[in-house]
Amino acid sequence: MRAPTRFPALAPATLVPLLAVVTLAVVWGRVLPPVVEVVVVVLLAGAVLAAVHHAEVVAHRVGEPFGSLILAVAVTVIEVGLIITLMVSGGPDTATLARDTVFAAVMITCNGIVGLSLLLATVRRRVVVFNPEGTGAALATVLTLATLSLVLPTFTIGSPGSAFTGPQLAFAAVSSLFLYATFVFVQNVRHRDYFLPPPREILTPSSSGRPGDAVGDEEHAPVPPMTTALGSFALLIVALVAVVGLAKVESPTIEAVVADAGLPRPVVGVVIALLVLLPETLAAARNARRDRTQISLNLALGSAMASIGLTIPAIAIASLWLDGPLVLGLGATQIVLLGLTAAVGILTVMPGRATLLQAWVHLSLCASYLFLAANP
């Protein structure tokens, strides 16, 4: 993975996050004219690209699989802040925002990012390989978290509607946090080798029949010094704050466009998830193009896991002062899509290898979810 050996003070990846945060401070809470909105969107895109760059620098310094967790956790922590901020300011109308955003994150990561990663990898190689032990463990954890937090509230009878009672919500929050913490321990300590690219991923022949290169020249780049990694970590946080903050600034425009188009309110959660997941999507795509399929899958499933495992406990705590109900239970259509995602994901992961077909199956599921979110 390419990583600079020194910290470039005047590089675009340094200046753009700082400029984006300054712009965020200036425009926060104001009604923006169209020209300023265009500037905000441009800076939002630049902050996304900067976040991907700095995440890769830090990941190259700390190594895998811990490096894959950095971007997922950083994005999710700030995503939680965005959800809570919108729920506090939106009142009862945002009762389903947490559910819609978390479910959107699960579907986009498990189908969209996974499918895109497999597609980019199989364009170069007929068959891509990965560790089914680690990827399967990650998928199992994601599906368990999603079922406990998003499916069970639809069927429990302790409170009206698709909501948990207080004790049920507390149990779901503790269970989610425990499962996520256990997975992080297993991934980075107990069974670290399960989440590293297998040797065969490096050696599989390319689609042209020639032996594949080693993972790439990036893998042999000098490890950045600690000062560079610390600087990139700080700028990663700044860039992610800018991404989520500018997305919040644009949220009234998004809500207005959704309402004017006659689309359902859950589409707002989908758009927020798409914006917040842009850095992880780009990072996963870049790793897939470098024949690092395992790292791409780590990013995708790790993002889904962090989105549930960190969001549900935070929302449970925030519900103590939030007005109105907290609706977490999915509807029938969403449960069917989640069940199909589970079945397809298991069949993709079990062999430890995938082809172009699996890529398009996952992408088709993601497209179906996006279409049905807009046309329930």
Side-chain angles (χ1 to χ4, degrees), residues 1-3 56 59-65 192 196-198 201-202 213-224 286-287 290-293 295:
M1 181 180 300
R2 283 177 189 155
E56 290 187 337
H60 191 54
R61 171 69 193 188
V62 301
E64 294 295 341
R192 183 174 179 270
L196 298 176
E201 179 174 350
I202 299 174
D213 299 332
V215 174
D217 293 338
E218 299 89 348
E219 192 70 12
H220 305 288
V223 175
R286 291 177 69 173
N287 277 285
R290 295 169 180 170
D291 292 334
R292 295 164 59 86
T293 309
I295 307 305

Side-chain angles (χ1 to χ4, degrees), residues 111 114-116 118-119 122 355-364:
N111 289 313
V114 167
L116 177 62
L118 294 178
L119 177 64
T122 54
T355 65
L356 188 66
L357 177 60
Q358 282 91 346
W360 281 116
V361 169
H362 281 282
L363 289 174
S364 297

Side-chain angles (χ1 to χ4, degrees), residues 196-252:
L196 298 176
R200 192 173 179 184
E201 179 174 350
I202 299 174
L203 300 175
T204 299
S206 65
S207 58
S208 62
R210 294 172 298 179
D213 299 332
V215 174
D217 293 338
E218 299 89 348
E219 192 70 12
H220 305 288
V223 175
M226 181 60 70
T227 53
T228 299
L230 290 176
S232 284
F233 181 75
L235 284 171
L236 170 62
I237 300 301
V238 171
L240 292 175
V241 169
V243 168
V244 178
L246 293 177
K248 169 65 172 68
V249 169
E250 289 296 313
S251 60

Side-chain angles (χ1 to χ4, degrees), residues 69-70 72-74 76 141 145 174-187 301-310:
L69 288 175
I70 294 174
V73 173
T76 305
T141 308
L145 287 171
V174 173
S175 298
S176 298
L177 193 59
F178 175 77
L179 280 175
Y180 182 71
T182 303
F183 176 81
V184 171
F185 172 75
V186 169
Q187 184 185 38
L301 297 177
S303 300
M305 197 182 311
S307 183
I308 307 175
L310 298 179

Side-chain angles (χ1 to χ4, degrees), residues 27 35 41 47 53 76 84 88-89 112 121 124 133 141 150 156 159 172 186 223 225 227 285 289 310 317 321:
V27 303
V35 175
V41 171
H53 167 77
T76 305
I84 294 177
V88 170
S89 61
R124 181 176 180 181
E133 297 90 353
T141 308
L150 302 178
T156 54
S159 62
V186 169
V223 175
T227 53
R289 288 200 304 269
L310 298 179
I317 296 174
W321 70 81

